[in-house]
Amino acid sequence: MKKIILTGDRPTGHLHIGHFVGSLKNRLLLQEKGGYDEFYIMIADAQALTDNFGNVQKVRDNVFQVMLDYLAVGLDPNKVTFFIQSEVSELTEFTFYYMNLVTLARLERNPTVKEELRQKDFEKNIPMGFLTYPVSQTADITAFNATIVPVGDDQLPMIEQAREIVRAFNNLYGETLVEPKAMLPENENAFRLVGTDGKAKMSKSLNNCIFLSDSPNEIKDKVFNMYTDPNHIHVTDPGKVEGNTVFTYLDVFLRPGDFEKYLPEYKSLDELKDHYRRGGLGDMKIKKFLNSILQDILAPIRARREELEKNPDKVFEILEKGTEKARKVAYKNLIKLKTAMGINYFN
Ligand code: ATP
Ligand code: MG
């Protein structure tokens, strides 16, 4: 079986460090390891419109911003095909046929959809496009016969639903589609990186993000205002590490050598955590430490981003080329799909 990777992001804002650890890092890993047959990254503008239909300009502008983020983290157009979802119209045809294979009840049961409907206050007035976005996501994946989908864990219900649709299709029309598998990050805290507010997952829609494009000052302000342990008032108070955003981020972002460089009086994160639990370690110290680490990680990404931003034509050229290639592949697979269904009238 071919190894085909596909994943994507909604152009609803700049990419943030949740995307970085939740999915971009795995993409980079796959890119470096090689050994795959095809690798697609889709900017899901049509999906973004399902809950931003009144704000097309925002979605349009962010196509460019997301593409800048991709290139800035090191995704390589020589190894990856980047494309814009709405420019591959075959995807809507796939979606149309898959709609027959899903019930309304099943879509309403999808836990991620349920949660997002609540967040967006859509419960009483559900836009059909939004409710059915898991079906269109199945179309995106299967139109390229993707086998591996690197995602954060909020996407697991989507992949499960895609697998169900694939099975339903194959049962009805014969073995045609392959069941995709999700690829999660290694670090469990990165499955769904919490926002700087410590509440829900870091998400463009929730205003709790550190963006890859943030300036050094923005990063610092966000880290210094981060949610810690509300009962840890005085330095001498014992503090809680679980649910403390600074420690969650340290778990995810700490790199070998960081203690030696910025906090040589400690040898390991466990030692730092123990001190915090005992009392006597202030929030400022751990926030400064985290800030130094994040600044180190984000500085080269920001620099590359600023460089790329000067040349929008070149960035769009990559997208245009990729989209052309994606269209050809999706068309070929659409013909296969329709042939399996028996709706190939003229050949
Ligand atoms: P929106 O609020 O518009 O839905 P988002 O921040 O949830 O935006 P998406 O474009 O929906 O971002 O998600 C893109 C990818 O990034 C998905 O694979 C998703 O699982 C992953 N992802 C998003 N947020 C996080 C996070 N906080 N931690 C880990 N992975 C994440
Ligand atoms: Mg999302």
Side-chain angles (χ1 to χ4, degrees):
M1 194 171 64
K2 275 195 167 179
K3 189 169 167 185
I4 300 173
I5 306 159
L6 180 134
T7 188
D9 305 273
R10 293 152 40 92
T12 50
H14 292 210
L15 296 185
H16 52 63
I17 60 175
H19 298 120
F20 186 61
V21 294
S23 169
L24 294 171
K25 268 190 152 177
N26 265 342
R27 301 181 204 181
L28 290 167
L29 217 75
L30 287 163
Q31 174 183 281
E32 291 327 308
K33 238 175 46 192
Y36 53 80
D37 297 285
E38 290 156 58
F39 194 159
Y40 299 94
I41 296 183
M42 178 186 79
I43 303 190
D45 64 332
Q47 191 188 115
L49 288 176
T50 63
D51 56 330
N52 290 279
F53 38 85
N55 204 348
V56 183
Q57 193 62 42
K58 172 178 125 182
V59 172
R60 194 193 163 107
D61 291 344
N62 279 307
V63 168
F64 177 59
Q65 296 302 329
V66 167
M67 192 59 199
L68 285 179
D69 287 323
Y70 287 159
L71 298 174
V73 297
L75 289 167
D76 178 354
N78 294 314
K79 297 177 178 162
V80 176
T81 304
F82 297 96
F83 70 95
I84 301 179
Q85 184 184 29
S86 66
E87 289 284 347
V88 182
S89 43
E90 285 77 9
L91 298 176
T92 51
E93 268 190 77
F94 275 90
T95 308
F96 192 69
Y97 300 121
Y98 292 164
M99 294 273 199
N100 300 332
L101 309 177
V102 191
T103 65
L104 178 62
R106 176 63 182 89
L107 280 168
E108 285 177 331
R109 255 200 330 268
N110 182 311
T112 302
V113 172
K114 236 178 170 170
E115 164 70 11
E116 289 177 344
L117 286 173
R118 200 187 48 73
Q119 265 175 19
K120 294 173 206 294
D121 236 349
F122 272 164
E123 285 152 306
K124 288 203 188 71
N125 235 332
I126 308 179
M128 280 304 290
F130 187 80
L131 185 70
T132 55
Y133 90 75
V135 185
S136 103
Q137 227 167 287
T138 307
D140 305 331
I141 297 168
T142 55
F144 298 90
N145 281 321
T147 52
I148 302 168
V149 188
V151 284
D153 88 335
D154 61 309
Q155 292 302 309
L156 290 183
M158 302 302 157
I159 308 294
E160 193 41 51
Q161 187 136 35
R163 293 166 64 91
E164 280 174 32
I165 293 174
V166 165
R167 284 198 292 270
F169 187 98
N170 288 346
N171 277 335
L172 271 172
Y173 306 117
E175 280 304 312
T176 313
L177 305 170
V178 261
E179 284 186 43
K181 278 202 186 83
M183 178 185 184
L184 287 174
E186 245 180 38
N187 187 324
E188 253 181 68
N189 282 313
F191 279 15
R192 191 181 299 212
L193 189 76
V194 71
T196 51
D197 55 2
K199 280 187 207 136
K201 81 160 184 142
M202 180 173 288
S203 166
K204 284 168 274 178
S205 331
L206 295 177
N207 208 9
N208 59 4
C209 306
I210 296 177
F211 295 100
L212 299 177
S213 51
D214 274 349
S215 69
N217 267 331
E218 285 169 318
I219 299 168
K220 185 171 145 244
D221 285 347
K222 288 176 183 179
V223 172
F224 283 19
N225 285 310
M226 213 171 246
Y227 177 86
T228 55
D229 169 6
N231 297 318
H232 184 247
I233 297 160
H234 307 288
V235 176
T236 45
D237 291 342
K240 252 177 87 174
V241 164
E242 288 69 32
N244 183 320
T245 320
V246 177
F247 280 105
T248 308
Y249 282 28
L250 284 174
D251 270 323
V252 175
F253 292 99
L254 187 75
R255 301 153 310 164
D258 281 334
F259 274 107
E260 289 91 321
K261 195 167 165 196
Y262 295 116
L263 215 54
E265 57 271 43
Y266 298 89
K267 283 198 183 53
S268 68
L269 192 53
D270 284 337
E271 206 180 292
L272 191 73
K273 285 179 177 173
D274 283 343
H275 193 183
Y276 194 82
R277 286 196 185 98
R278 275 201 313 275
L281 175 58
D283 278 2
M284 214 33 171
K285 197 157 179 174
I286 54 168
K287 283 179 173 173
K288 275 191 178 153
F289 184 44
L290 176 62
N291 178 54
S292 305
I293 295 169
L294 289 180
Q295 297 286 358
D296 275 2
I297 295 173
L298 295 176
I301 297 175
R302 187 174 52 244
R304 274 197 297 272
R305 206 179 186 285
E306 281 165 7
E307 217 31 61
L308 290 156
E309 205 171 1
K310 291 180 194 152
N311 212 336
D313 288 350
K314 216 171 136 191
V315 174
F316 273 107
E317 203 181 294
I318 296 170
L319 265 172
E320 199 174 350
K321 259 203 199 144
T323 302
E324 244 167 63
K325 179 178 166 191
R327 221 181 257 143
K328 282 194 191 123
V329 176
Y331 178 73
K332 200 182 77 204
N333 287 329
L334 177 66
I335 298 299
K336 275 192 197 153
L337 186 97
K338 291 172 78 172
T339 304
M341 292 173 71
I343 48 173
N344 53 333
Y345 298 103
F346 304 123
N347 52 20

